Amino acid sequence: MWRRRGAPEPPPEAPVGTDLTGLAVVLGALLLLALLRRLSKGGSKDAAPSAKPLVQLAALAPRAVPLALRVEHYFDLDANPFAHAELLTSAHDVVDVLNRLEEYVLSWLQRHSSAHRHSEHATFLTEAEWPEDTDFKLHGSLYVFVDSADRTVNFFPDRLQGSDLRMEDVHVGHSRPAEPEVARAEGKVPPFVHVGVVETSEYPTDPGIKIWSHVQTRSEQAVNAPRERQAFERAEHGGYGLHVCRGAQIFGGVFDTSNGGIYVGEGASVEANVVVKGPVVIGAGAKILSGAYLRGPILIGQRTTVRCEVKNAVFMDHASLTHPGYVGDSVLGHRASMGCQAVTCNLGLLGSRSIQIGLDSRVYDLGRRKIGCFLGDFSKLGSNSVTDPGTFVRPHVFVYPLCRLPKGFYGPNEIIKTAGGVERLPLDLDRLLRRQSN
């Protein structure tokens, strides 16, 4: 290139493409950063894929319910009959069993307690006239039936908790007043006042038969009050009632009927240091071991053993929960069992909406914030195992101790254990002893 003599040298030209290369590096770094941020927010494997449509399970027609969410997928009621099969067979899906549980238990208590109301082994008890020197404490008022006809019942509770209603005396042994039929027709007297004294030595000789009324002076005003009428309706559904059948063994425990009745089946046993809050049905031959805490609604099948904390659950016959733990919003099948300190989590750590679960090409909204575990017939959870909210386990699944099952579907005929074995290291015993001596 021509230039004038003495003119300064021009600066060297930058190589072609240098600026473009630097720009490309910067853009690539920005794209990589954006990708990492996106993965950190939405890349968790527990997150529901946004591409899958969301389906409300309860809105499906019964035939459209996926097989994995049907009752028969987990519980064979033909091979293993269950006294409360009606609850399961009437449910829209297996999750709907939990939705229907409380209504079913109250209805069942109503049907099975109606025959007891006019029995000579039934009475109303009220705190106002309960002697202080009685072997157990009474709070509130409740209707009690103890079938002691063959003298095989042992009834030694620690405490009975009834409603906060007050009652008027109708002394034991006196004939019924002439006007109850008229009063009953007018809706002023509850339908089950024809009861006698419980024939067990633990009761006072004259506890008195009571007629439901509120704190007002006149019982008719109280009975016609909305709150009192609601209380009668609940009592008709088994509320406030304790029913102890023939051969049952009650050797302690607190029985709280303020929110629903309690039914202890024939030959069932309840040990000391047990708390039972109705509505609860305990099947024939079942064993409630010391330390159990039952918060209804609960159905416990025949010959089932329970020692853990239970809330809103169904246990079918021969289920085994003989150790401490927690079962909430769950259904356990025939001969299902849980080891020591096994837990069915029923609410997510940040659970503020109903649980959703992916299945095939869809995500199903199960319609409940609290769902524990559905443990199929003969399945077992090992000691210290934990199931996430919304865990579905089919029959014959054996979960090793210390396992955590994320929400999802498992089984059937499967063994599950934590990956990664046991690490074993040599122990320098001499060195250990020297450290301990220092």
Side-chain angles (χ1 to χ4, degrees):
M1 178 178 178
W2 178 88
R3 65 182 178 86
R4 188 173 57 181
R5 181 182 296 179
E9 293 284 341
E13 297 182 2
V16 178
T18 300
D19 294 339
L20 296 178
T21 302
L23 180 60
V25 171
V26 173
L27 291 176
L30 292 175
L31 290 175
L32 180 60
L33 181 60
L35 179 61
L36 291 176
R37 288 181 177 178
R38 183 176 180 182
L39 290 175
S40 65
K41 291 182 179 180
S44 173
K45 61 182 179 181
D46 292 335
S50 58
K52 296 183 179 180
L54 181 63
V55 178
Q56 300 294 329
L57 178 60
L60 294 175
R63 292 186 178 181
V65 174
L67 182 61
L69 291 171
R70 297 185 183 181
V71 170
E72 60 269 23
H73 204 58
Y74 302 90
F75 314 113
D76 189 344
L77 298 175
D78 294 328
N80 308 303
F82 183 45
H84 305 284
E86 177 187 352
L87 168 64
L88 287 88
T89 56
S90 63
H92 173 267
D93 52 78
V94 71
V95 178
D96 192 41
V97 174
L98 299 176
N99 299 330
R100 295 170 175 261
L101 179 57
E102 183 172 13
E103 180 182 356
Y104 174 85
V105 174
L106 292 174
S107 176
W108 191 95
L109 286 168
Q110 178 194 17
R111 297 196 304 268
H112 287 75
S113 64
S114 59
H116 299 163
R117 292 176 185 162
H118 310 299
S119 168
E120 62 179 0
H121 305 291
T123 190
F124 286 111
L125 304 178
T126 181
E127 180 181 0
E129 301 206 1
W130 194 250
E132 295 182 358
D133 57 350
T134 310
D135 290 337
F136 61 90
K137 301 297 182 181
L138 172 66
H139 300 277
S141 306
L142 72 157
Y143 162 76
V144 177
F145 169 84
V146 178
D147 187 352
S148 58
D150 59 357
R151 303 295 180 181
T152 60
V153 170
N154 283 299
F155 188 63
F156 299 96
D158 293 327
R159 179 177 300 176
L160 301 181
Q161 175 70 52
S163 70
D164 59 353
L165 302 177
R166 296 174 60 183
M167 303 179 176
E168 289 185 1
D169 293 336
V170 178
H171 296 293
V172 176
H174 291 193
S175 60
R176 192 169 66 247
E179 63 274 9
E181 294 300 331
V182 177
R184 185 172 295 104
E186 296 176 355
K188 297 179 180 179
V189 178
F192 46 87
V193 297
H194 315 242
V195 291
V197 184
V198 177
E199 295 182 352
T200 56
S201 59
E202 294 74 39
Y203 280 96
T205 56
D206 188 3
I209 303 174
K210 307 296 180 178
I211 297 177
W212 297 88
S213 67
H214 194 46
V215 294
Q216 284 100 336
T217 304
R218 299 171 58 188
S219 61
E220 26 195 85
Q221 294 177 348
V223 171
N224 290 327
R227 179 185 176 188
E228 190 72 11
R229 187 171 299 278
Q230 181 183 8
F232 292 157
E233 293 174 357
R234 294 180 64 189
E236 281 294 296
H237 286 280
Y240 312 114
L242 173 61
H243 313 271
V244 181
C245 295
R246 182 173 304 181
Q249 307 296 309
I250 309 296
F251 291 112
V254 176
F255 297 83
D256 184 350
T257 65
S258 58
N259 289 317
I262 299 172
Y263 188 98
V264 182
E266 184 172 342
S269 63
V270 179
E271 296 182 354
N273 301 315
V274 168
V275 177
V276 184
K277 302 177 68 173
V280 173
V281 175
I282 300 174
K287 296 181 180 180
I288 312 301
L289 305 183
S290 180
Y293 180 30
L294 310 182
R295 294 185 288 148
I298 296 173
L299 282 179
I300 297 177
Q302 299 179 10
R303 303 197 178 280
T304 291
T305 304
V306 180
R307 190 190 172 195
C308 57
E309 179 182 354
V310 184
K311 174 252 177 188
N312 196 50
V314 178
F315 301 151
M316 298 186 193
D317 297 349
H318 299 277
S320 178
L321 302 96
T322 58
H323 302 283
Y326 176 76
V327 180
D329 298 277
S330 300
V331 181
L332 274 65
H334 182 82
R335 292 192 181 276
S337 69
M338 294 177 58
C340 184
Q341 300 295 348
V343 173
T344 65
C345 297
N346 61 340
L347 180 65
L349 186 62
L350 302 176
S352 59
R353 63 177 185 177
S354 61
I355 295 175
Q356 299 177 2
I357 191 167
L359 178 62
D360 298 330
S361 59
R362 295 182 175 182
V363 175
Y364 291 90
D365 189 328
L366 303 183
R368 289 180 60 93
R369 292 178 58 247
K370 293 185 177 182
I371 299 176
C373 175
F374 297 91
L375 192 63
D377 297 336
F378 302 99
S379 291
K380 303 179 185 298
L381 295 179
S383 297
N384 290 286
S385 57
V386 179
T387 63
D388 284 3
T391 300
F392 298 80
V393 181
R394 291 188 63 189
H396 297 283
V397 174
F398 300 90
V399 181
Y400 268 50
L402 299 173
C403 285
R404 176 216 168 189
L405 295 186
K407 72 175 180 181
F409 301 92
Y410 301 87
N413 309 324
E414 189 175 11
I415 295 176
I416 302 174
K417 60 182 179 179
T418 304
V422 177
E423 184 178 3
R424 304 173 66 180
L425 300 173
L427 172 64
D428 189 338
L429 185 58
D430 293 335
R431 183 179 178 183
L432 176 62
L433 293 175
R434 287 195 302 270
R435 292 186 59 182
Q436 291 178 346
S437 62
N438 295 332

